[in-house]
Amino acid sequence: MLALPTMATVLATPGFWHQDESLGITWENVLHGEQGFELHEVLPVEGAVIGTTKVLDILDRGDKGAFIYSSNELREPSTGRKIATLTSTEVCRSNGGFGGRADGAPSPHPIPDRAPDAVWDYKTDKRAALIYRLSGDDNSLHVDPEVASVAGFEFPILHGLCTFGVAGHALLRETCEYDPSRLTAMKVRFSAPVYPGDTIRTEMWRDGSTVSFRSSVPERGVVVLNNGRATVEPSRST
């Protein structure tokens, strides 16, 4: 038995720390911009982990907001062995224009200009945001219509990491033969919101150990995950 690789993204996190008033962040307008993980070993199905989160950089993108780049290293507490490195970008849409450095954003991974090698559709449940909230992400944007309205959305939106997990499922299904040990890295940009009940269509392109991917909602004709890159290795199962 193995844990899903995407499970690493919700382990030992600091929670929605943007709500700390001392930081001066307008938390209602914070969106998840990017997410990635790299596994340094197969993710265990049980045990303790310690996460160390660091803010790596903050860019001032003016009317596009402030971009906060952070990392979280997951380690086994008794040995200090590194299990995974997580990376994340938060877009603070109301907090740009403070006179900080604007350049330095990493270039997005390009999507191949050819037909995808695999496509998989997944219909989300209308209760998906309520269920995913049990992972520990209690941002009200995903359950409270008033908070969603302030943020500019018609309804509460699905957690970005839930959409990320659906794309991870697609990669496991289409490129890993459901062997979690083979999916060792994954990174993507969140390009548009998903609403609970949407169908998420994930397109995948294989180039050796690199799999490029993106996800869209065909009912609304919008790309919701873009510039995705995953690393798929030969089986490491024992």
Side-chain angles (χ1 to χ4, degrees):
M1 183 183 295
L2 297 174
L4 295 179
T6 50
M7 179 64 71
T9 62
V10 300
L11 299 178
T13 71
F16 191 52
W17 53 268
H18 311 80
Q19 287 181 298
D20 185 337
E21 294 183 358
S22 68
L23 299 175
I25 297 174
T26 307
W27 64 267
E28 297 92 340
N29 281 335
V30 173
L31 294 178
H32 206 155
E34 297 172 310
Q35 179 66 48
F37 70 78
E38 179 184 0
L39 295 181
H40 307 295
E41 60 179 62
V42 177
L43 195 65
V45 296
E46 61 181 13
V49 293
I50 293 178
T52 302
T53 298
K54 298 179 180 179
V55 173
L56 304 175
D57 203 358
I58 301 176
L59 299 183
D60 183 357
R61 301 305 301 274
D63 58 4
K64 294 182 179 180
F67 290 10
I68 300 178
Y69 298 88
S70 62
S71 69
N72 185 14
E73 288 189 349
L74 303 182
R75 295 181 181 271
E76 198 280 327
S78 63
T79 65
R81 187 179 73 253
K82 185 156 55 173
I83 297 172
T85 300
L86 316 177
T87 56
S88 181
T89 304
E90 279 74 45
V91 181
C92 304
R93 294 184 296 165
S94 296
N95 298 105
F98 56 85
R101 179 171 58 87
D103 59 345
S107 299
H109 174 70
I111 296 296
D113 186 19
R114 67 174 194 267
D117 299 308
V119 180
W120 186 58
D121 285 4
Y122 180 84
K123 177 72 172 178
T124 63
D125 193 287
K126 290 186 177 180
R127 301 166 297 175
L130 298 175
I131 296 169
Y132 191 82
R133 186 178 172 87
L134 298 174
S135 70
D137 187 333
D138 60 358
N139 186 348
S140 301
L141 174 64
H142 307 294
V143 295
D144 189 329
E146 291 186 8
V147 173
S149 178
V150 169
F153 300 110
E154 187 176 1
F155 307 106
I157 63 176
L158 190 62
H159 303 71
L161 284 184
C162 187
T163 307
F164 184 86
V166 171
H169 186 173
L171 290 163
L172 288 172
R173 183 180 191 273
E174 298 295 331
T175 71
C176 299
E177 299 178 327
Y178 277 124
D179 181 352
S181 72
R182 298 182 60 193
L183 182 57
T184 60
M186 183 176 166
K187 186 173 183 179
V188 75
R189 287 189 168 189
F190 301 103
S191 51
V194 173
Y195 292 99
D198 281 348
T199 297
I200 299 174
R201 172 172 294 166
T202 302
E203 301 171 291
M204 292 150 275
W205 292 260
R206 302 186 186 96
D207 292 289
S209 63
T210 297
V211 179
S212 304
F213 67 95
R214 71 182 170 209
S215 299
S216 61
V217 173
E219 298 99 328
R220 294 189 284 116
V222 59
V223 175
V224 295
L225 300 180
N226 209 351
N227 307 110
R229 176 177 178 169
T231 302
V232 175
E233 304 286 0
S235 177
R236 298 191 297 176
S237 298
T238 57

